[in-house]
């Protein structure tokens, strides 16, 4: 049974000096800063989540109305609880304070993946074969098609994902996938 998707923004995280919540007036982060922050979060978050018997599903950093948000999706057998989000949020926040030396404002958010679980790694496309997916690509495929909805068939080759969209099998290069997620996923796989 899936746990309800919960977001954790503890007061501890909101009041840390380097991690002040960003506002629309805050200086924008450069693309290099965003990539550096996401890469560092993955590097620090993977072993942290493994030590807590969880899986770091995905990390993203994006601009939202409340400012820049660094979002970590975590999962574990039996589902994620609010206390799990608080625990990972506090630990990863402290690690980022120590290791990320660039001054930039962002909100840290730790959440469960929910029914629209992101697919980020090649192994995810194999693990969730047979599930419904929605994939956004750039550059567009034939007929200027940027979004593919269908049933995931797994990896066609080491660098392509196969999706059954209606009656047509579509193969998408992994490098062209900008966003991919499950649709209404309701259980552990």
């Amino acid at each position: 049974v899936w746990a309800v998707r919960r977001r954790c923004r503890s007061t501890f995280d909101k009041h840390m000096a380097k991690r002040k919540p960003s506002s629309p007036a805050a200086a924008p982060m450069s693309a290099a800063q965003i990539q550096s922050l996401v890469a560092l979060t993955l590097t620090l978050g993977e072993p942290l989540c493994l030590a807590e018997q969880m899986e770091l599903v995905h990390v993203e950093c994006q601009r939202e109305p409340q400012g820049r948000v660094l979002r970590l999706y975590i999962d574990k057998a039996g589902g994620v609880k609010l206390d799990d989000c608080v625990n990972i949020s506090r630990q990863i926040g402290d690690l980022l304070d120590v290791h990320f030396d660039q001054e930039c404002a962002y909100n840290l958010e730790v959440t469960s993946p929910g029914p629209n679980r992101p697919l980020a790694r090649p192994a995810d496309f194999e693990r969730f074969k047979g599930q419904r997916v929605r994939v956004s690509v750039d550059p567009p495929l034939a007929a200027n098609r940027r979004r593919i909805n269908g049933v995931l068939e797994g990896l066609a080759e080491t660098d392509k994902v196969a999706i059954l969209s209606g009656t047509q099998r579509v193969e998408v290069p992994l490098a062209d996938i900008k966003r991919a997620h499950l649709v209404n996923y309701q259980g552990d796989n």
Side-chain angles (χ1 to χ4, degrees):
V1 176
W2 248 146
V4 175
R5 181 175 179 183
R6 296 184 175 122
R7 293 182 180 167
C8 172
R9 289 191 187 140
S10 65
T11 48
F12 175 84
D13 293 329
K14 288 182 179 179
H15 297 295
M16 294 298 291
K18 277 176 85 175
R19 218 171 36 251
K20 295 177 199 158
S22 59
S23 67
M29 291 175 73
S30 70
Q33 284 177 314
I34 292 169
Q35 288 176 340
S36 175
L37 180 59
V38 168
L40 180 62
T41 304
L42 280 167
T43 301
L44 297 172
E46 286 281 348
L48 170 64
C49 287
L50 284 174
E52 297 291 336
Q53 288 140 15
M54 292 186 212
E55 173 190 4
L56 180 58
V57 174
H58 184 62
V59 176
E60 64 187 19
C61 187
Q62 60 189 29
R63 184 91 177 136
E64 294 188 357
Q66 70 269 22
R68 181 71 58 189
V69 176
L70 175 64
R71 185 173 293 120
L72 286 75
Y73 293 92
I74 61 171
D75 200 8
K76 72 175 186 177
V80 174
K81 307 288 186 257
L82 183 59
D83 289 341
D84 298 323
C85 292
V86 170
N87 181 31
I88 295 296
S89 176
R90 289 185 176 164
Q91 290 185 66
I92 196 70
D94 290 346
L95 288 169
L96 288 171
D97 284 342
V98 171
H99 295 284
F100 190 65
D101 57 358
Q102 299 179 27
E103 288 293 327
C104 49
Y106 60 89
N107 291 305
L108 177 62
E109 183 178 301
V110 178
T111 184
S112 71
N116 295 330
R117 179 190 181 101
L119 302 173
R121 300 175 180 98
D124 292 342
F125 293 99
E126 278 297 309
R127 178 179 173 192
F128 294 102
K129 275 185 197 178
Q131 299 295 324
R132 296 206 44 81
V133 294
R134 182 169 296 140
V135 177
S136 298
V137 297
D138 190 32
L141 300 174
N144 211 20
R145 193 170 175 190
R146 290 187 181 271
R147 290 193 180 94
I148 300 121
N149 295 313
V151 177
L152 182 61
E153 291 188 337
L155 294 175
E157 299 171 23
T158 57
D159 63 339
K160 290 186 179 179
V161 173
I163 301 166
L164 184 62
S165 181
T167 59
Q168 180 183 15
R169 183 175 189 209
V170 180
E171 290 187 7
V172 181
L174 276 170
D176 293 350
I177 295 176
K178 298 305 168 207
R179 224 169 168 58
H181 62 86
L182 298 176
V183 177
N184 296 323
Y185 178 65
Q186 296 298 318
D188 292 336
N189 199 355

